Amino acid sequence: MSETLSVNQIPILVDTPVGRVLYQIARKLALLGGFIFLILIAISLYSLVGRKLGFGGVVGDIELVQAGSAVAGSLFLPFCTIMYEHLKVDFFTMKLPKAIQNKMDALADLALFAVAILLVYRMIFQSMALYDFAEVTALMSIPVWVPNMLMIPGFILMALCSLYYCVVHATKKEV
């Protein structure tokens, strides 16, 4: 895509029943991720001001920010995917026929799908191992498997969005 779309503007390729559902879910997850980041900013600000004024900070604020940022960041990935706003280097392919470009885009979307599924697979096993070993954070004793599991829905939806685009590009008829 050569131009940036506004958040409320749905990409043309998403204007199908499945695409609209994926778009709405991805948008809601991105808004949730933004809300989580706002909470993390408030925690950090409160902790920083408290330390500077001598009241002390929030115990474990860094742990909360680390875990929360990982979860919130994973919730943005599906929206980036459904908006088709991932980094795309098409310098070598932009002069090829549109049909070949679509097939190459489908292949790239399939690769993104495979990576997302691999990440989900590995994060599930990692979460189970973290749960089995009862690993917790140092100051707040937050079970590490919890934020790890909370990242999985974002990656699952990212995989579905990239699979959607793979099908769209593979079946698109361009002259």
mmCIF file of all heavy atoms in Angstrom, residues 12-13 97-103 168-175:
data_model
loop_
_atom_site.group_PDB
_atom_site.id
_atom_site.type_symbol
_atom_site.label_atom_id
_atom_site.label_comp_id
_atom_site.label_asym_id
_atom_site.label_seq_id
_atom_site.Cartn_x
_atom_site.Cartn_y
_atom_site.Cartn_z
ATOM 1 N N ILE A 12 -9.579 -1.783 1.140
ATOM 2 C CA ILE A 12 -10.479 -2.336 0.117
ATOM 3 C C ILE A 12 -10.501 -3.867 0.171
ATOM 4 O O ILE A 12 -11.560 -4.474 0.056
ATOM 5 C CB ILE A 12 -10.066 -1.840 -1.284
ATOM 6 C CG1 ILE A 12 -10.307 -0.338 -1.387
ATOM 7 C CG2 ILE A 12 -10.833 -2.575 -2.367
ATOM 8 C CD1 ILE A 12 -9.695 0.319 -2.608
ATOM 9 N N LEU A 13 -9.335 -4.484 0.372
ATOM 10 C CA LEU A 13 -9.273 -5.942 0.384
ATOM 11 C C LEU A 13 -9.967 -6.561 1.595
ATOM 12 O O LEU A 13 -10.216 -7.752 1.629
ATOM 13 C CB LEU A 13 -7.816 -6.404 0.330
ATOM 14 C CG LEU A 13 -7.043 -6.077 -0.946
ATOM 15 C CD1 LEU A 13 -5.606 -6.536 -0.839
ATOM 16 C CD2 LEU A 13 -7.713 -6.705 -2.153
ATOM 17 N N PRO A 97 4.155 -7.814 -13.555
ATOM 18 C CA PRO A 97 2.697 -7.815 -13.768
ATOM 19 C C PRO A 97 1.949 -8.011 -12.445
ATOM 20 O O PRO A 97 2.438 -8.669 -11.529
ATOM 21 C CB PRO A 97 2.474 -9.012 -14.699
ATOM 22 C CG PRO A 97 3.786 -9.255 -15.340
ATOM 23 C CD PRO A 97 4.840 -8.815 -14.370
ATOM 24 N N LYS A 98 0.769 -7.434 -12.365
ATOM 25 C CA LYS A 98 -0.025 -7.462 -11.132
ATOM 26 C C LYS A 98 -0.317 -8.891 -10.684
ATOM 27 O O LYS A 98 -0.345 -9.173 -9.480
ATOM 28 C CB LYS A 98 -1.330 -6.696 -11.370
ATOM 29 C CG LYS A 98 -1.922 -6.142 -10.136
ATOM 30 C CD LYS A 98 -1.042 -5.079 -9.523
ATOM 31 C CE LYS A 98 -1.847 -4.271 -8.525
ATOM 32 N NZ LYS A 98 -1.049 -3.781 -7.429
ATOM 33 N N ALA A 99 -0.531 -9.793 -11.618
ATOM 34 C CA ALA A 99 -0.817 -11.189 -11.266
ATOM 35 C C ALA A 99 0.355 -11.819 -10.513
ATOM 36 O O ALA A 99 0.162 -12.536 -9.530
ATOM 37 C CB ALA A 99 -1.134 -11.996 -12.520
ATOM 38 N N ILE A 100 1.574 -11.538 -10.960
ATOM 39 C CA ILE A 100 2.766 -12.069 -10.288
ATOM 40 C C ILE A 100 2.939 -11.398 -8.927
ATOM 41 O O ILE A 100 3.287 -12.054 -7.942
ATOM 42 C CB ILE A 100 4.017 -11.898 -11.176
ATOM 43 C CG1 ILE A 100 3.888 -12.774 -12.425
ATOM 44 C CG2 ILE A 100 5.285 -12.249 -10.401
ATOM 45 C CD1 ILE A 100 4.996 -12.590 -13.428
ATOM 46 N N GLN A 101 2.677 -10.099 -8.868
ATOM 47 C CA GLN A 101 2.757 -9.396 -7.582
ATOM 48 C C GLN A 101 1.794 -10.009 -6.567
ATOM 49 O O GLN A 101 2.151 -10.203 -5.401
ATOM 50 C CB GLN A 101 2.426 -7.911 -7.763
ATOM 51 C CG GLN A 101 3.505 -7.107 -8.443
ATOM 52 C CD GLN A 101 3.112 -5.643 -8.557
ATOM 53 O OE1 GLN A 101 2.264 -5.146 -7.833
ATOM 54 N NE2 GLN A 101 3.733 -4.953 -9.501
ATOM 55 N N ASN A 102 0.583 -10.329 -7.012
ATOM 56 C CA ASN A 102 -0.402 -10.934 -6.110
ATOM 57 C C ASN A 102 0.068 -12.283 -5.595
ATOM 58 O O ASN A 102 -0.108 -12.605 -4.421
ATOM 59 C CB ASN A 102 -1.756 -11.070 -6.800
ATOM 60 C CG ASN A 102 -2.469 -9.749 -6.923
ATOM 61 O OD1 ASN A 102 -2.281 -8.849 -6.110
ATOM 62 N ND2 ASN A 102 -3.291 -9.616 -7.947
ATOM 63 N N LYS A 103 0.660 -13.084 -6.488
ATOM 64 C CA LYS A 103 1.156 -14.394 -6.059
ATOM 65 C C LYS A 103 2.310 -14.240 -5.070
ATOM 66 O O LYS A 103 2.397 -14.969 -4.075
ATOM 67 C CB LYS A 103 1.607 -15.236 -7.261
ATOM 68 C CG LYS A 103 0.523 -15.519 -8.281
ATOM 69 C CD LYS A 103 -0.698 -16.190 -7.681
ATOM 70 C CE LYS A 103 -1.745 -16.415 -8.756
ATOM 71 N NZ LYS A 103 -3.082 -16.483 -8.243
ATOM 72 N N VAL A 168 -6.838 -13.985 -0.188
ATOM 73 C CA VAL A 168 -7.269 -12.862 -1.030
ATOM 74 C C VAL A 168 -6.280 -12.642 -2.172
ATOM 75 O O VAL A 168 -6.671 -12.505 -3.333
ATOM 76 C CB VAL A 168 -7.434 -11.569 -0.188
ATOM 77 C CG1 VAL A 168 -7.549 -10.347 -1.076
ATOM 78 C CG2 VAL A 168 -8.652 -11.689 0.705
ATOM 79 N N HIS A 169 -4.996 -12.618 -1.862
ATOM 80 C CA HIS A 169 -3.994 -12.368 -2.904
ATOM 81 C C HIS A 169 -3.870 -13.544 -3.867
ATOM 82 O O HIS A 169 -3.636 -13.348 -5.064
ATOM 83 C CB HIS A 169 -2.634 -12.044 -2.293
ATOM 84 C CG HIS A 169 -2.557 -10.667 -1.742
ATOM 85 N ND1 HIS A 169 -2.212 -10.414 -0.433
ATOM 86 C CD2 HIS A 169 -2.786 -9.468 -2.309
ATOM 87 C CE1 HIS A 169 -2.227 -9.107 -0.224
ATOM 88 N NE2 HIS A 169 -2.583 -8.513 -1.345
ATOM 89 N N ALA A 170 -3.999 -14.767 -3.355
ATOM 90 C CA ALA A 170 -3.869 -15.942 -4.225
ATOM 91 C C ALA A 170 -5.037 -16.060 -5.196
ATOM 92 O O ALA A 170 -4.881 -16.582 -6.303
ATOM 93 C CB ALA A 170 -3.762 -17.202 -3.376
ATOM 94 N N THR A 171 -6.202 -15.570 -4.794
ATOM 95 C CA THR A 171 -7.389 -15.710 -5.643
ATOM 96 C C THR A 171 -7.750 -14.427 -6.381
ATOM 97 O O THR A 171 -8.720 -14.422 -7.141
ATOM 98 C CB THR A 171 -8.605 -16.156 -4.805
ATOM 99 O OG1 THR A 171 -8.840 -15.190 -3.769
ATOM 100 C CG2 THR A 171 -8.359 -17.522 -4.200
ATOM 101 N N LYS A 172 -7.006 -13.375 -6.164
ATOM 102 C CA LYS A 172 -7.327 -12.085 -6.780
ATOM 103 C C LYS A 172 -7.038 -12.132 -8.277
ATOM 104 O O LYS A 172 -5.977 -12.570 -8.709
ATOM 105 C CB LYS A 172 -6.495 -10.986 -6.110
ATOM 106 C CG LYS A 172 -6.897 -9.595 -6.489
ATOM 107 C CD LYS A 172 -6.108 -8.586 -5.654
ATOM 108 C CE LYS A 172 -6.493 -7.191 -6.040
ATOM 109 N NZ LYS A 172 -5.646 -6.206 -5.362
ATOM 110 N N LYS A 173 -7.983 -11.654 -9.034
ATOM 111 C CA LYS A 173 -7.836 -11.595 -10.498
ATOM 112 C C LYS A 173 -7.539 -10.157 -10.893
ATOM 113 O O LYS A 173 -8.377 -9.278 -10.750
ATOM 114 C CB LYS A 173 -9.117 -12.061 -11.190
ATOM 115 C CG LYS A 173 -9.574 -13.433 -10.791
ATOM 116 C CD LYS A 173 -8.647 -14.491 -11.304
ATOM 117 C CE LYS A 173 -9.188 -15.855 -10.954
ATOM 118 N NZ LYS A 173 -8.195 -16.796 -10.582
ATOM 119 N N GLU A 174 -6.351 -9.917 -11.380
ATOM 120 C CA GLU A 174 -5.932 -8.573 -11.839
ATOM 121 C C GLU A 174 -5.538 -8.643 -13.309
ATOM 122 O O GLU A 174 -4.946 -9.599 -13.770
ATOM 123 C CB GLU A 174 -4.732 -8.061 -11.042
ATOM 124 C CG GLU A 174 -5.051 -7.648 -9.644
ATOM 125 C CD GLU A 174 -5.687 -6.280 -9.548
ATOM 126 O OE1 GLU A 174 -5.554 -5.481 -10.488
ATOM 127 O OE2 GLU A 174 -6.336 -6.013 -8.524
ATOM 128 N N VAL A 175 -5.878 -7.630 -14.029
ATOM 129 C CA VAL A 175 -5.506 -7.550 -15.441
ATOM 130 C C VAL A 175 -4.232 -6.755 -15.565
ATOM 131 O O VAL A 175 -3.990 -5.807 -14.915
ATOM 132 C CB VAL A 175 -6.626 -6.899 -16.280
ATOM 133 C CG1 VAL A 175 -6.199 -6.796 -17.723
ATOM 134 C CG2 VAL A 175 -7.883 -7.702 -16.141
#
